[in-house]
Amino acid sequence: MFLKLNNFSPEKKVYVVGEDGILDELKLAGFECFGGPEDGKKNIMLEANFYFDHDKNVGAVVVGLDQYFNYYKMQYASLCIRENPGCLFIATNRDPTGHMTSAQEWPGAGTMVAAVSCSVQKEPIVVGKPSSFLMDFLLKSFNLETSRMCMVGDRLDTDILFGQNTGCKTLLVLSGVTTLPDLQDASNTIHPDLYTNSVHDLVKLLQQ
């Protein structure tokens, strides 16, 4: 939607540092894209005078969570952003970590974004939370009022900050990333309007 609203040329391609979900959505929106898991299988042989070629028709690089992230992808994305005139550098989000399994935290999309950002010495356009892009689009499309909305999420620096940035009430659930100690830590500056253990608690309240 960001590409459509910004009149991204249908003649241009999108390079994806990410997984099949991003590729699928771009294709559904009618954009020509490549990269993704397929490029996770590719390697670079660094030799004297080696020249890494890239598609000069790439007009946007989208970076998201990518468990197949490698040096090849980082170089391809960097070349497109640096050398293709007007090439957009778009990040799905900048989450540093994520609960990919129930046992541990894992590197989030923000780590891949940071690697590319460091390489090109440029900040990305973030279209996911806490960016207000999504809310701006919803307000224009559906004539909604943020004063009647509540943003529910499990992360302070994305979900709750997104709600605060866009004028919503905020409800933090402690069933995901943010824990109660995190919320109550003296260094924390993001405070939701409400918090509860999980969304299931709302069901209990409605039944009372």
Side-chain angles (χ1 to χ4, degrees):
M1 190 55 63
F2 178 85
L3 292 174
K4 285 185 175 182
L5 291 177
N6 285 274
N7 300 312
F8 186 73
S9 173
E11 305 299 319
K12 293 289 186 179
K13 301 175 186 178
V14 181
Y15 183 70
V16 174
V17 178
E19 301 187 12
D20 287 328
I22 299 175
L23 290 165
D24 292 344
E25 290 296 325
L26 285 166
K27 290 173 184 176
L28 285 171
F31 297 111
E32 184 177 354
C33 56
F34 66 104
E38 189 64 29
D39 280 3
K41 305 171 185 176
K42 298 177 181 178
N43 297 311
I44 296 175
M45 296 297 291
L46 293 176
E47 300 172 347
N49 300 317
F50 172 70
Y51 180 79
F52 188 105
D53 197 17
H54 73 284
D55 193 327
K56 307 302 189 295
N57 206 33
V58 170
V61 171
V62 177
V63 183
L65 181 66
D66 190 347
Q67 62 179 311
Y68 309 102
F69 187 72
N70 61 8
Y71 202 57
Y72 178 96
K73 288 185 179 183
M74 184 160 56
Q75 171 67 342
Y76 205 107
S78 297
L79 287 173
C80 291
I81 296 167
R82 280 201 304 262
E83 299 185 6
N84 292 4
C87 183
L88 299 171
F89 174 21
I90 300 170
T92 60
N93 64 79
R94 300 195 82 162
D95 293 3
T97 59
H99 283 203
M100 310 310 171
T101 68
S102 59
Q104 297 168 308
E105 283 191 340
W106 295 75
T111 60
M112 292 82 191
V113 174
V116 176
S117 179
C118 180
S119 175
V120 298
Q121 292 294 287
K122 181 178 180 180
E123 290 298 308
I125 302 165
V126 181
V127 294
K129 299 169 295 187
S131 167
S132 61
F133 165 72
L134 176 60
M135 184 60 75
D136 293 339
F137 170 71
L138 291 174
L139 294 177
K140 291 175 183 176
S141 303
F142 300 103
N143 194 31
L144 301 170
E145 297 178 12
T146 56
S147 61
R148 300 185 62 206
M149 299 182 194
C150 181
M151 177 63 196
V152 181
D154 69 348
R155 193 179 192 116
L156 289 172
D157 58 353
T158 54
D159 301 325
I160 302 307
L161 188 57
F162 171 76
Q164 293 177 347
N165 286 345
T166 55
C168 300
K169 292 293 184 182
T170 55
L171 169 63
L172 173 70
V173 288
L174 300 172
S175 52
V177 174
T178 299
T179 64
L180 187 59
D182 292 333
L183 175 62
Q184 295 176 334
D185 191 284
S187 64
N188 173 42
T189 59
I190 304 171
H191 299 281
D193 294 295
L194 303 161
Y195 69 90
T196 191
N197 286 323
S198 74
V199 173
H200 185 259
D201 290 342
L202 301 181
V203 178
K204 296 176 184 177
L205 289 171
L206 289 172
Q207 291 173 341
Q208 291 180 359

PDB file of all heavy atoms in Angstrom, residues 5-36:
ATOM      1  N   LEU A   5       0.483   4.143  -2.835  1.00  0.00           N
ATOM      2  CA  LEU A   5       0.159   5.528  -2.485  1.00  0.00           C
ATOM      3  C   LEU A   5       1.250   6.495  -2.926  1.00  0.00           C
ATOM      4  O   LEU A   5       0.988   7.680  -3.110  1.00  0.00           O
ATOM      5  CB  LEU A   5      -0.079   5.652  -0.978  1.00  0.00           C
ATOM      6  CG  LEU A   5      -1.348   4.982  -0.444  1.00  0.00           C
ATOM      7  CD1 LEU A   5      -1.426   5.128   1.073  1.00  0.00           C
ATOM      8  CD2 LEU A   5      -2.597   5.573  -1.092  1.00  0.00           C
ATOM      9  N   ASN A   6       2.461   5.986  -3.068  1.00  0.00           N
ATOM     10  CA  ASN A   6       3.569   6.835  -3.506  1.00  0.00           C
ATOM     11  C   ASN A   6       3.860   6.667  -4.999  1.00  0.00           C
ATOM     12  O   ASN A   6       4.937   7.026  -5.471  1.00  0.00           O
ATOM     13  CB  ASN A   6       4.815   6.538  -2.671  1.00  0.00           C
ATOM     14  CG  ASN A   6       4.724   7.130  -1.281  1.00  0.00           C
ATOM     15  OD1 ASN A   6       5.059   8.291  -1.065  1.00  0.00           O
ATOM     16  ND2 ASN A   6       4.255   6.336  -0.323  1.00  0.00           N
ATOM     17  N   ASN A   7       2.869   6.120  -5.728  1.00  0.00           N
ATOM     18  CA  ASN A   7       2.942   6.010  -7.191  1.00  0.00           C
ATOM     19  C   ASN A   7       4.211   5.318  -7.665  1.00  0.00           C
ATOM     20  O   ASN A   7       4.886   5.778  -8.590  1.00  0.00           O
ATOM     21  CB  ASN A   7       2.822   7.400  -7.834  1.00  0.00           C
ATOM     22  CG  ASN A   7       1.510   8.084  -7.489  1.00  0.00           C
ATOM     23  OD1 ASN A   7       0.451   7.475  -7.590  1.00  0.00           O
ATOM     24  ND2 ASN A   7       1.585   9.335  -7.066  1.00  0.00           N
ATOM     25  N   PHE A   8       4.529   4.206  -7.009  1.00  0.00           N
ATOM     26  CA  PHE A   8       5.701   3.426  -7.406  1.00  0.00           C
ATOM     27  C   PHE A   8       5.495   2.924  -8.827  1.00  0.00           C
ATOM     28  O   PHE A   8       4.463   2.344  -9.155  1.00  0.00           O
ATOM     29  CB  PHE A   8       5.900   2.257  -6.445  1.00  0.00           C
ATOM     30  CG  PHE A   8       7.147   1.467  -6.681  1.00  0.00           C
ATOM     31  CD1 PHE A   8       8.387   1.980  -6.343  1.00  0.00           C
ATOM     32  CD2 PHE A   8       7.085   0.200  -7.242  1.00  0.00           C
ATOM     33  CE1 PHE A   8       9.545   1.245  -6.552  1.00  0.00           C
ATOM     34  CE2 PHE A   8       8.234  -0.538  -7.451  1.00  0.00           C
ATOM     35  CZ  PHE A   8       9.468  -0.020  -7.109  1.00  0.00           C
ATOM     36  N   SER A   9       6.467   3.137  -9.675  1.00  0.00           N
ATOM     37  CA  SER A   9       6.344   2.800 -11.091  1.00  0.00           C
ATOM     38  C   SER A   9       6.161   1.296 -11.302  1.00  0.00           C
ATOM     39  O   SER A   9       6.935   0.485 -10.774  1.00  0.00           O
ATOM     40  CB  SER A   9       7.590   3.256 -11.856  1.00  0.00           C
ATOM     41  OG  SER A   9       7.550   2.790 -13.189  1.00  0.00           O
ATOM     42  N   PRO A  10       5.144   0.909 -12.088  1.00  0.00           N
ATOM     43  CA  PRO A  10       4.949  -0.523 -12.387  1.00  0.00           C
ATOM     44  C   PRO A  10       6.080  -1.100 -13.226  1.00  0.00           C
ATOM     45  O   PRO A  10       6.194  -2.324 -13.375  1.00  0.00           O
ATOM     46  CB  PRO A  10       3.621  -0.536 -13.163  1.00  0.00           C
ATOM     47  CG  PRO A  10       3.498   0.838 -13.742  1.00  0.00           C
ATOM     48  CD  PRO A  10       4.127   1.756 -12.726  1.00  0.00           C
ATOM     49  N   GLU A  11       6.924  -0.228 -13.756  1.00  0.00           N
ATOM     50  CA  GLU A  11       8.067  -0.677 -14.550  1.00  0.00           C
ATOM     51  C   GLU A  11       9.253  -1.069 -13.675  1.00  0.00           C
ATOM     52  O   GLU A  11      10.199  -1.698 -14.139  1.00  0.00           O
ATOM     53  CB  GLU A  11       8.504   0.440 -15.513  1.00  0.00           C
ATOM     54  CG  GLU A  11       7.411   0.973 -16.418  1.00  0.00           C
ATOM     55  CD  GLU A  11       6.845  -0.109 -17.321  1.00  0.00           C
ATOM     56  OE1 GLU A  11       7.642  -0.919 -17.835  1.00  0.00           O
ATOM     57  OE2 GLU A  11       5.612  -0.141 -17.494  1.00  0.00           O
ATOM     58  N   LYS A  12       9.180  -0.676 -12.404  1.00  0.00           N
ATOM     59  CA  LYS A  12      10.279  -0.948 -11.485  1.00  0.00           C
ATOM     60  C   LYS A  12      10.062  -2.260 -10.720  1.00  0.00           C
ATOM     61  O   LYS A  12       8.932  -2.710 -10.525  1.00  0.00           O
ATOM     62  CB  LYS A  12      10.427   0.207 -10.483  1.00  0.00           C
ATOM     63  CG  LYS A  12      10.890   1.527 -11.108  1.00  0.00           C
ATOM     64  CD  LYS A  12      12.344   1.459 -11.535  1.00  0.00           C
ATOM     65  CE  LYS A  12      12.861   2.805 -12.011  1.00  0.00           C
ATOM     66  NZ  LYS A  12      14.287   2.733 -12.406  1.00  0.00           N
ATOM     67  N   LYS A  13      11.163  -2.830 -10.240  1.00  0.00           N
ATOM     68  CA  LYS A  13      11.109  -4.072  -9.475  1.00  0.00           C
ATOM     69  C   LYS A  13      11.381  -3.806  -7.989  1.00  0.00           C
ATOM     70  O   LYS A  13      11.904  -2.751  -7.629  1.00  0.00           O
ATOM     71  CB  LYS A  13      12.145  -5.065 -10.005  1.00  0.00           C
ATOM     72  CG  LYS A  13      11.970  -5.429 -11.465  1.00  0.00           C
ATOM     73  CD  LYS A  13      13.117  -6.324 -11.929  1.00  0.00           C
ATOM     74  CE  LYS A  13      13.049  -6.595 -13.421  1.00  0.00           C
ATOM     75  NZ  LYS A  13      14.192  -7.423 -13.893  1.00  0.00           N
ATOM     76  N   VAL A  14      11.032  -4.780  -7.159  1.00  0.00           N
ATOM     77  CA  VAL A  14      11.274  -4.692  -5.723  1.00  0.00           C
ATOM     78  C   VAL A  14      12.176  -5.856  -5.312  1.00  0.00           C
ATOM     79  O   VAL A  14      11.884  -7.018  -5.629  1.00  0.00           O
ATOM     80  CB  VAL A  14       9.959  -4.763  -4.919  1.00  0.00           C
ATOM     81  CG1 VAL A  14      10.246  -4.649  -3.415  1.00  0.00           C
ATOM     82  CG2 VAL A  14       8.985  -3.677  -5.364  1.00  0.00           C
ATOM     83  N   TYR A  15      13.276  -5.529  -4.633  1.00  0.00           N
ATOM     84  CA  TYR A  15      14.147  -6.578  -4.104  1.00  0.00           C
ATOM     85  C   TYR A  15      13.801  -6.802  -2.638  1.00  0.00           C
ATOM     86  O   TYR A  15      13.688  -5.843  -1.863  1.00  0.00           O
ATOM     87  CB  TYR A  15      15.623  -6.217  -4.238  1.00  0.00           C
ATOM     88  CG  TYR A  15      16.513  -7.331  -3.752  1.00  0.00           C
ATOM     89  CD1 TYR A  15      16.616  -8.518  -4.469  1.00  0.00           C
ATOM     90  CD2 TYR A  15      17.225  -7.229  -2.557  1.00  0.00           C
ATOM     91  CE1 TYR A  15      17.414  -9.569  -4.021  1.00  0.00           C
ATOM     92  CE2 TYR A  15      18.023  -8.264  -2.101  1.00  0.00           C
ATOM     93  CZ  TYR A  15      18.107  -9.440  -2.839  1.00  0.00           C
ATOM     94  OH  TYR A  15      18.875 -10.480  -2.387  1.00  0.00           O
ATOM     95  N   VAL A  16      13.626  -8.063  -2.271  1.00  0.00           N
ATOM     96  CA  VAL A  16      13.164  -8.403  -0.924  1.00  0.00           C
ATOM     97  C   VAL A  16      14.244  -9.099  -0.108  1.00  0.00           C
ATOM     98  O   VAL A  16      14.767 -10.148  -0.509  1.00  0.00           O
ATOM     99  CB  VAL A  16      11.912  -9.305  -0.978  1.00  0.00           C
ATOM    100  CG1 VAL A  16      11.518  -9.779   0.420  1.00  0.00           C
ATOM    101  CG2 VAL A  16      10.755  -8.568  -1.651  1.00  0.00           C
ATOM    102  N   VAL A  17      14.572  -8.501   1.020  1.00  0.00           N
ATOM    103  CA  VAL A  17      15.351  -9.177   2.055  1.00  0.00           C
ATOM    104  C   VAL A  17      14.311  -9.571   3.092  1.00  0.00           C
ATOM    105  O   VAL A  17      13.865  -8.760   3.900  1.00  0.00           O
ATOM    106  CB  VAL A  17      16.417  -8.253   2.676  1.00  0.00           C
ATOM    107  CG1 VAL A  17      17.165  -8.984   3.787  1.00  0.00           C
ATOM    108  CG2 VAL A  17      17.387  -7.764   1.618  1.00  0.00           C
ATOM    109  N   GLY A  18      13.866 -10.808   3.027  1.00  0.00           N
ATOM    110  CA  GLY A  18      12.759 -11.250   3.854  1.00  0.00           C
ATOM    111  C   GLY A  18      12.317 -12.623   3.403  1.00  0.00           C
ATOM    112  O   GLY A  18      13.059 -13.311   2.698  1.00  0.00           O
ATOM    113  N   GLU A  19      11.105 -12.987   3.763  1.00  0.00           N
ATOM    114  CA  GLU A  19      10.642 -14.336   3.446  1.00  0.00           C
ATOM    115  C   GLU A  19       9.433 -14.316   2.518  1.00  0.00           C
ATOM    116  O   GLU A  19       9.034 -13.265   2.012  1.00  0.00           O
ATOM    117  CB  GLU A  19      10.390 -15.088   4.753  1.00  0.00           C
ATOM    118  CG  GLU A  19      11.670 -15.154   5.594  1.00  0.00           C
ATOM    119  CD  GLU A  19      11.554 -16.024   6.832  1.00  0.00           C
ATOM    120  OE1 GLU A  19      10.567 -16.784   6.954  1.00  0.00           O
ATOM    121  OE2 GLU A  19      12.464 -15.951   7.679  1.00  0.00           O
ATOM    122  N   ASP A  20       8.830 -15.483   2.300  1.00  0.00           N
ATOM    123  CA  ASP A  20       7.784 -15.626   1.294  1.00  0.00           C
ATOM    124  C   ASP A  20       6.579 -14.728   1.522  1.00  0.00           C
ATOM    125  O   ASP A  20       5.922 -14.313   0.563  1.00  0.00           O
ATOM    126  CB  ASP A  20       7.323 -17.084   1.232  1.00  0.00           C
ATOM    127  CG  ASP A  20       8.355 -17.985   0.569  1.00  0.00           C
ATOM    128  OD1 ASP A  20       9.067 -17.493  -0.322  1.00  0.00           O
ATOM    129  OD2 ASP A  20       8.444 -19.158   0.934  1.00  0.00           O
ATOM    130  N   GLY A  21       6.287 -14.407   2.779  1.00  0.00           N
ATOM    131  CA  GLY A  21       5.125 -13.575   3.067  1.00  0.00           C
ATOM    132  C   GLY A  21       5.196 -12.215   2.390  1.00  0.00           C
ATOM    133  O   GLY A  21       4.198 -11.726   1.838  1.00  0.00           O
ATOM    134  N   ILE A  22       6.381 -11.608   2.409  1.00  0.00           N
ATOM    135  CA  ILE A  22       6.554 -10.298   1.770  1.00  0.00           C
ATOM    136  C   ILE A  22       6.437 -10.434   0.260  1.00  0.00           C
ATOM    137  O   ILE A  22       5.764  -9.635  -0.404  1.00  0.00           O
ATOM    138  CB  ILE A  22       7.910  -9.672   2.155  1.00  0.00           C
ATOM    139  CG1 ILE A  22       7.994  -9.456   3.661  1.00  0.00           C
ATOM    140  CG2 ILE A  22       8.118  -8.351   1.411  1.00  0.00           C
ATOM    141  CD1 ILE A  22       9.348  -8.960   4.137  1.00  0.00           C
ATOM    142  N   LEU A  23       7.065 -11.455  -0.301  1.00  0.00           N
ATOM    143  CA  LEU A  23       6.997 -11.688  -1.746  1.00  0.00           C
ATOM    144  C   LEU A  23       5.553 -11.918  -2.185  1.00  0.00           C
ATOM    145  O   LEU A  23       5.099 -11.370  -3.196  1.00  0.00           O
ATOM    146  CB  LEU A  23       7.855 -12.901  -2.120  1.00  0.00           C
ATOM    147  CG  LEU A  23       9.373 -12.733  -2.001  1.00  0.00           C
ATOM    148  CD1 LEU A  23      10.053 -14.095  -2.047  1.00  0.00           C
ATOM    149  CD2 LEU A  23       9.917 -11.838  -3.097  1.00  0.00           C
ATOM    150  N   ASP A  24       4.818 -12.725  -1.425  1.00  0.00           N
ATOM    151  CA  ASP A  24       3.422 -13.026  -1.771  1.00  0.00           C
ATOM    152  C   ASP A  24       2.568 -11.762  -1.779  1.00  0.00           C
ATOM    153  O   ASP A  24       1.754 -11.559  -2.686  1.00  0.00           O
ATOM    154  CB  ASP A  24       2.839 -14.035  -0.779  1.00  0.00           C
ATOM    155  CG  ASP A  24       3.475 -15.419  -0.910  1.00  0.00           C
ATOM    156  OD1 ASP A  24       4.125 -15.674  -1.939  1.00  0.00           O
ATOM    157  OD2 ASP A  24       3.324 -16.227   0.022  1.00  0.00           O
ATOM    158  N   GLU A  25       2.743 -10.912  -0.754  1.00  0.00           N
ATOM    159  CA  GLU A  25       1.941  -9.691  -0.668  1.00  0.00           C
ATOM    160  C   GLU A  25       2.263  -8.724  -1.805  1.00  0.00           C
ATOM    161  O   GLU A  25       1.370  -8.085  -2.368  1.00  0.00           O
ATOM    162  CB  GLU A  25       2.160  -9.003   0.682  1.00  0.00           C
ATOM    163  CG  GLU A  25       1.573  -9.751   1.863  1.00  0.00           C
ATOM    164  CD  GLU A  25       0.064  -9.870   1.803  1.00  0.00           C
ATOM    165  OE1 GLU A  25      -0.596  -8.922   1.321  1.00  0.00           O
ATOM    166  OE2 GLU A  25      -0.458 -10.916   2.198  1.00  0.00           O
ATOM    167  N   LEU A  26       3.537  -8.619  -2.139  1.00  0.00           N
ATOM    168  CA  LEU A  26       3.937  -7.734  -3.240  1.00  0.00           C
ATOM    169  C   LEU A  26       3.361  -8.217  -4.573  1.00  0.00           C
ATOM    170  O   LEU A  26       2.884  -7.423  -5.388  1.00  0.00           O
ATOM    171  CB  LEU A  26       5.458  -7.645  -3.322  1.00  0.00           C
ATOM    172  CG  LEU A  26       6.139  -6.796  -2.244  1.00  0.00           C
ATOM    173  CD1 LEU A  26       7.637  -7.048  -2.217  1.00  0.00           C
ATOM    174  CD2 LEU A  26       5.870  -5.316  -2.466  1.00  0.00           C
ATOM    175  N   LYS A  27       3.390  -9.525  -4.778  1.00  0.00           N
ATOM    176  CA  LYS A  27       2.840 -10.081  -6.015  1.00  0.00           C
ATOM    177  C   LYS A  27       1.329  -9.876  -6.072  1.00  0.00           C
ATOM    178  O   LYS A  27       0.780  -9.545  -7.141  1.00  0.00           O
ATOM    179  CB  LYS A  27       3.185 -11.569  -6.108  1.00  0.00           C
ATOM    180  CG  LYS A  27       4.668 -11.826  -6.351  1.00  0.00           C
ATOM    181  CD  LYS A  27       5.004 -13.306  -6.268  1.00  0.00           C
ATOM    182  CE  LYS A  27       6.498 -13.547  -6.417  1.00  0.00           C
ATOM    183  NZ  LYS A  27       6.851 -14.982  -6.231  1.00  0.00           N
ATOM    184  N   LEU A  28       0.640 -10.059  -4.954  1.00  0.00           N
ATOM    185  CA  LEU A  28      -0.807  -9.831  -4.911  1.00  0.00           C
ATOM    186  C   LEU A  28      -1.149  -8.380  -5.228  1.00  0.00           C
ATOM    187  O   LEU A  28      -2.209  -8.096  -5.795  1.00  0.00           O
ATOM    188  CB  LEU A  28      -1.364 -10.208  -3.529  1.00  0.00           C
ATOM    189  CG  LEU A  28      -1.494 -11.703  -3.236  1.00  0.00           C
ATOM    190  CD1 LEU A  28      -1.836 -11.920  -1.767  1.00  0.00           C
ATOM    191  CD2 LEU A  28      -2.568 -12.331  -4.132  1.00  0.00           C
ATOM    192  N   ALA A  29      -0.242  -7.473  -4.850  1.00  0.00           N
ATOM    193  CA  ALA A  29      -0.458  -6.049  -5.113  1.00  0.00           C
ATOM    194  C   ALA A  29      -0.059  -5.661  -6.541  1.00  0.00           C
ATOM    195  O   ALA A  29      -0.242  -4.516  -6.945  1.00  0.00           O
ATOM    196  CB  ALA A  29       0.332  -5.209  -4.110  1.00  0.00           C
ATOM    197  N   GLY A  30       0.487  -6.629  -7.288  1.00  0.00           N
ATOM    198  CA  GLY A  30       0.806  -6.379  -8.680  1.00  0.00           C
ATOM    199  C   GLY A  30       2.223  -5.927  -8.960  1.00  0.00           C
ATOM    200  O   GLY A  30       2.516  -5.453 -10.058  1.00  0.00           O
ATOM    201  N   PHE A  31       3.128  -6.090  -7.976  1.00  0.00           N
ATOM    202  CA  PHE A  31       4.505  -5.647  -8.166  1.00  0.00           C
ATOM    203  C   PHE A  31       5.407  -6.821  -8.537  1.00  0.00           C
ATOM    204  O   PHE A  31       5.226  -7.933  -8.048  1.00  0.00           O
ATOM    205  CB  PHE A  31       5.037  -4.969  -6.903  1.00  0.00           C
ATOM    206  CG  PHE A  31       4.304  -3.717  -6.535  1.00  0.00           C
ATOM    207  CD1 PHE A  31       3.500  -3.662  -5.396  1.00  0.00           C
ATOM    208  CD2 PHE A  31       4.397  -2.581  -7.333  1.00  0.00           C
ATOM    209  CE1 PHE A  31       2.819  -2.510  -5.062  1.00  0.00           C
ATOM    210  CE2 PHE A  31       3.715  -1.429  -7.002  1.00  0.00           C
ATOM    211  CZ  PHE A  31       2.926  -1.384  -5.871  1.00  0.00           C
ATOM    212  N   GLU A  32       6.387  -6.543  -9.390  1.00  0.00           N
ATOM    213  CA  GLU A  32       7.374  -7.549  -9.745  1.00  0.00           C
ATOM    214  C   GLU A  32       8.466  -7.546  -8.683  1.00  0.00           C
ATOM    215  O   GLU A  32       9.077  -6.516  -8.409  1.00  0.00           O
ATOM    216  CB  GLU A  32       7.976  -7.253 -11.126  1.00  0.00           C
ATOM    217  CG  GLU A  32       8.955  -8.319 -11.595  1.00  0.00           C
ATOM    218  CD  GLU A  32       9.507  -8.069 -12.982  1.00  0.00           C
ATOM    219  OE1 GLU A  32       9.039  -7.117 -13.649  1.00  0.00           O
ATOM    220  OE2 GLU A  32      10.423  -8.808 -13.398  1.00  0.00           O
ATOM    221  N   CYS A  33       8.703  -8.686  -8.078  1.00  0.00           N
ATOM    222  CA  CYS A  33       9.676  -8.740  -6.978  1.00  0.00           C
ATOM    223  C   CYS A  33      10.496 -10.023  -7.054  1.00  0.00           C
ATOM    224  O   CYS A  33      10.104 -10.996  -7.691  1.00  0.00           O
ATOM    225  CB  CYS A  33       8.959  -8.636  -5.635  1.00  0.00           C
ATOM    226  SG  CYS A  33       7.684  -9.902  -5.378  1.00  0.00           S
ATOM    227  N   PHE A  34      11.626 -10.018  -6.375  1.00  0.00           N
ATOM    228  CA  PHE A  34      12.489 -11.196  -6.320  1.00  0.00           C
ATOM    229  C   PHE A  34      13.373 -11.089  -5.086  1.00  0.00           C
ATOM    230  O   PHE A  34      13.355 -10.083  -4.365  1.00  0.00           O
ATOM    231  CB  PHE A  34      13.320 -11.331  -7.600  1.00  0.00           C
ATOM    232  CG  PHE A  34      14.332 -10.232  -7.818  1.00  0.00           C
ATOM    233  CD1 PHE A  34      15.684 -10.454  -7.581  1.00  0.00           C
ATOM    234  CD2 PHE A  34      13.938  -8.971  -8.253  1.00  0.00           C
ATOM    235  CE1 PHE A  34      16.632  -9.452  -7.793  1.00  0.00           C
ATOM    236  CE2 PHE A  34      14.869  -7.958  -8.473  1.00  0.00           C
ATOM    237  CZ  PHE A  34      16.209  -8.202  -8.243  1.00  0.00           C
ATOM    238  N   GLY A  35      14.140 -12.127  -4.848  1.00  0.00           N
ATOM    239  CA  GLY A  35      14.967 -12.190  -3.638  1.00  0.00           C
ATOM    240  C   GLY A  35      14.375 -13.218  -2.686  1.00  0.00           C
ATOM    241  O   GLY A  35      14.036 -14.324  -3.098  1.00  0.00           O
ATOM    242  N   GLY A  36      14.228 -12.873  -1.421  1.00  0.00           N
ATOM    243  CA  GLY A  36      13.612 -13.779  -0.463  1.00  0.00           C
ATOM    244  C   GLY A  36      14.428 -15.019  -0.186  1.00  0.00           C
ATOM    245  O   GLY A  36      15.657 -15.038  -0.352  1.00  0.00           O
TER     246      GLY A  36
END
